[in-house]
Amino acid sequence: MNDLIISLLCLALTLLVYYLNKRLYQRWRTLLLMPLVMTPLVLVVLLLITHVSWKDYIAESHWLLWLLGPATLAFAVPVYENQEIIKRHWLSLSLGVATATLVSVCSSVWLARLLTLPESIQRSLAVRSITTPFALAAAKPIGGQPDLVALFVVITGVFGMAVGDFLFLRIAIKQGVAKGAGFGAASHGAGTARAYQIGQQEGVVSSLVMMLSGVVTVILAPLLGHLMWQA
């Protein structure tokens, strides 16, 4: 079986597993059955069992990663339709995005250093709190590894979405804008999906913060990389 056929079969398998996973999640809404969690796990197990390399898998599936860009931009539509919310809270949102960006990058790198993790992992962890298209772009100037970046972004999103409600309850955050900002800044796309489940206002704010955090991180990435590893 040649590489092209293997790659096409991997693409078809990815779509099939995702479709079946979504059907399961619609019936049993548990964290383990979330498509963002279960689908990658199933695919990894299948690739290990069949001894298919990552190169063969991604050859015809790479456009699925490309679709993350348009999908992220689609979050701008509800933001545009709810401009009044943004106008009322523009100052707090701006300060929140700046603070969240610096805290997420610095805390990730410093914790990785405390645990004496390799520098390649430190650089890849630095951009874990922004959505994948932005994270991959921001990782280039600081020397992050794309595969590790994508993995850390997914883990961060799932974890943030899973514990977000509990944390808000524990620290008594009840305002919708604050919840949306927290989800968007800390757990990007996965958190934004959860924010929309809570309410329209939460989802809109989460979408805006997710995009702004990504843009700010990409712009500041060269400077942050210089300060963190070359200062």
Side-chain angles (χ1 to χ4, degrees):
M1 189 178 297
N2 61 45
D3 293 343
L4 177 60
I5 294 177
I6 292 175
S7 299
L8 290 174
L9 287 174
C10 287
L11 173 60
L13 180 64
T14 301
L15 297 175
L16 177 62
V17 171
Y18 179 75
Y19 172 77
L20 294 175
N21 196 172
K22 281 196 68 175
R23 296 293 298 270
L24 282 174
Y25 186 65
Q26 288 171 356
R27 295 192 62 181
W28 297 287
R29 290 185 174 273
T30 64
L31 179 62
L32 183 61
L33 288 179
M34 284 180 54
L36 195 59
V37 177
M38 180 58 70
T39 297
L41 290 177
V42 171
L43 290 174
V44 167
V45 170
L46 290 175
L47 292 180
L48 290 174
I49 291 174
T50 57
H51 302 289
V52 174
S53 68
W54 167 253
K55 180 180 178 181
D56 288 335
Y57 171 78
I58 202 63
E60 296 300 327
S61 302
H62 64 89
W63 64 270
L64 294 175
L65 183 62
W66 177 86
L67 286 174
L68 286 172
T72 301
L73 291 176
F75 281 112
V77 175
V79 172
Y80 176 78
E81 293 174 346
N82 294 269
Q83 297 180 56
E84 290 303 317
I85 298 176
I86 300 167
K87 291 177 181 178
R88 286 200 305 270
H89 303 284
W90 69 271
L91 181 59
S92 58
L93 290 174
S94 300
L95 293 175
V97 166
T99 302
T101 300
L102 290 175
V103 169
S104 65
V105 173
C106 293
S107 63
S108 299
V109 174
W110 288 340
L111 181 59
R113 287 178 178 174
L114 182 65
L115 298 173
T116 64
L117 296 178
E119 188 173 302
S120 60
I121 294 181
Q122 296 177 25
R123 293 173 182 269
S124 301
L125 277 169
V127 294
R128 65 180 178 79
S129 290
I130 57 176
T131 192
T132 304
F134 290 114
L136 293 174
K140 289 182 180 179
I142 64 175
Q145 297 183 17
D147 294 344
L148 287 177
V149 169
L151 175 63
F152 293 147
V153 167
V154 171
I155 293 174
T156 299
V158 172
F159 182 79
M161 182 180 63
V163 305
D165 291 330
F166 173 76
L167 289 177
F168 291 142
L169 180 63
R170 294 293 296 175
I171 58 181
I173 292 180
K174 299 179 180 180
Q175 189 178 28
V177 172
K179 290 183 178 181
F183 275 122
S187 48
H188 41 80
T192 298
R194 174 57 188 151
Y196 272 109
Q197 291 178 351
I198 298 174
Q200 179 70 12
Q201 184 183 60
E202 289 84 347
V204 169
V205 172
S206 182
S207 299
L208 177 66
V209 171
M210 177 185 67
M211 290 186 292
L212 289 179
S213 297
V215 171
V216 170
T217 304
V218 170
I219 293 174
L220 294 180
L223 175 61
L224 292 172
H226 177 77
L227 293 176
M228 289 288 182
W229 291 283
Q230 299 175 25

